[in-house]
Amino acid sequence: MDGTTTNSSNPMYSDVLGRTFAAQCAIYHFPADAQEHSRLNVQHDMLKIVVGGLYASPDLVKKALDPVQRDRKCGVLDIGAGSGIWAMEMAKEFPLADVVGMDLVDPVSANDIPPNCRFEIGDANLDLGRYATAFDVVHMRSVASGIKDFKGALHNVAQTLRPQGVILLVSPAPSIYSEKKESLENQEEGKPVWSAMQALNDATILSTLKRGGATPAMTDDWARWLAEMPLYTNVGESEAWIPMGPWREGMNESERAAAELLRDDALKIISSFKPKLIEGGYDEALIERWSLAAREELNAMEPKLYMRWRFAWATRTPEPWAPL
């Protein structure tokens, strides 16, 4: 990857209001350009602070990627690799493992790719048979809006995992929350609890559903789904409530840093909402008004807002995989 900017002359891409999108997956709402990948890198840095590294459940991950215990070279798959930063940092942390980042397009801004890391084009909604029993860790972060059937995807991912391999799921809950941790979903504009940021989020979720995407509300179902499948065991989950800006009293240095990065991420994502909303029929003046109000909310930290990030993990059982 040489950092070359994508353009609409490439059939893999489409241009919507000056932003570049992956052409082969209509349901995914967000761009696939350098601007979006820069935002994803901010989100990545925030999550590293929150989790204390690149992944939750470190004991399971390190055991799965120990070549002595596994008695073979280990593999990592990052589904929805985005900018490629997680895959590249995993390759550096585990230099004896082969790391593959898979996404709808190449990571256009990826540079200095480690020799044990590569990127491939693929769609998690399609057959993953080419990766059967090839990996010891599979990571899926912030990909919900591009998956048609997330529960089915969890079943399909099991095909790619070796026994005792680990699946890692990371995504924000669909709602933005008030200072009292009350959901602000679907509130009427002008009411005291209304948030422009949530209004944009609601519109994006509705737009994704209309295009056939899954509801992001399923983040609370992840652990239950994994536990119900004979293909997985050692299921765990956690969540983190992160202020959108350093407004909460008594925050330590790490919490302040994560809150600042989350606010920066949110400010950057506002421009990513717009193209597909306009393309989907939303009034441009309305989206512009909400976007301006959302930026004002975030900069002023009023109202005081939270995001709730969800994490789930499990290990692969020896149960043979079969298609549904």
Side-chain angles (χ1 to χ4, degrees):
M1 319 303 167
D2 60 3
T4 303
T5 302
T6 58
N7 60 76
S8 58
S9 63
N10 187 326
M12 291 181 59
Y13 302 96
S14 62
D15 184 275
V16 182
L17 297 179
R19 298 296 300 273
T20 302
F21 291 79
Q24 69 270 41
C25 183
I27 65 173
Y28 187 65
H29 188 91
F30 295 102
D33 52 21
Q35 183 177 340
E36 174 67 2
H37 287 173
S38 175
R39 179 190 73 80
L40 292 174
N41 288 347
V42 172
Q43 183 183 100
H44 172 83
D45 290 340
M46 179 271 295
L47 288 169
K48 278 175 52 177
I49 294 172
V50 171
V51 175
L54 291 172
Y55 40 83
S57 62
D59 292 343
L60 290 178
V61 172
K62 290 176 180 179
K63 181 179 179 180
L65 295 177
D66 183 340
V68 176
Q69 291 194 51
R70 303 292 271 173
D71 195 28
R72 61 172 173 262
K73 192 166 189 177
C74 297
V76 178
L77 175 63
D78 186 18
I79 294 178
S83 69
I85 191 170
W86 188 89
M88 290 189 291
E89 291 192 8
M90 280 293 285
K92 292 174 183 176
E93 182 170 337
F94 296 95
L96 299 180
D98 286 327
V99 181
V100 178
M102 186 189 83
D103 209 328
L104 298 167
V105 296
D106 282 331
V108 296
S109 302
N111 293 300
D112 301 320
I113 300 172
N116 59 322
C117 179
R118 70 182 187 274
F119 293 96
E120 298 182 358
I121 293 172
D123 185 345
N125 293 296
L126 304 179
D127 180 31
L128 297 175
R130 61 174 168 155
Y131 293 131
T133 63
F135 298 105
D136 301 277
V137 170
V138 174
H139 177 253
M140 301 173 72
R141 181 169 76 189
S142 299
V143 298
S145 67
I147 303 292
K148 297 176 183 177
D149 173 11
F150 207 95
K151 187 176 182 180
L154 297 181
H155 176 88
N156 293 336
V157 165
Q159 182 185 17
T160 73
L161 279 168
R162 298 163 178 153
Q164 299 302 310
V166 179
I167 184 172
L168 299 169
L169 307 175
V170 184
S171 191
S175 180
I176 293 170
Y177 295 84
S178 72
E179 182 180 8
K180 296 180 180 180
K181 298 185 178 179
E182 297 170 336
S183 173
L184 300 180
E185 285 181 287
N186 302 314
Q187 298 292 332
E188 184 179 347
E189 185 172 358
K191 299 293 184 181
V193 292
W194 183 81
S195 161
M197 194 70 197
Q198 181 65 60
L200 287 168
N201 200 44
D202 287 339
T204 297
I205 291 170
L206 180 60
S207 178
T208 298
L209 291 173
K210 286 181 176 179
R211 293 195 304 275
T215 170
M218 49 68 199
T219 54
D220 289 325
D221 296 321
W222 283 347
R224 177 174 59 82
W225 287 345
L226 290 167
E228 290 172 351
M229 296 181 185
L231 299 167
Y232 294 106
T233 188
N234 297 322
V235 177
E237 63 179 330
S238 65
E239 65 182 24
W241 290 83
I242 310 168
M244 300 180 76
W247 53 261
R248 193 178 65 200
E249 294 184 5
M251 301 173 75
N252 62 35
E253 185 176 349
S254 292
E255 290 170 335
R256 289 186 63 86
E260 286 279 17
L261 287 167
L262 180 57
R263 177 169 62 170
D264 190 15
D265 177 18
L267 285 165
K268 291 177 183 296
I269 204 173
I270 292 170
S271 62
S272 297
F273 286 142
K274 179 181 175 180
K276 286 288 187 176
L277 291 178
I278 302 302
E279 184 185 56
Y282 278 86
D283 179 67
E284 184 169 3
L286 175 65
I287 299 303
E288 287 287 1
R289 177 162 59 81
W290 284 354
S291 297
L292 177 61
R295 292 186 181 95
E296 290 175 349
E297 286 179 358
L298 292 166
N299 286 319
M301 294 186 290
E302 191 60 46
K304 297 176 174 64
L305 303 173
Y306 275 110
M307 284 191 72
R308 181 171 65 99
W309 278 80
R310 299 282 298 158
F311 307 85
W313 56 87
T315 56
R316 179 72 164 88
T317 67
E319 181 79 15
W321 184 90
L324 292 171

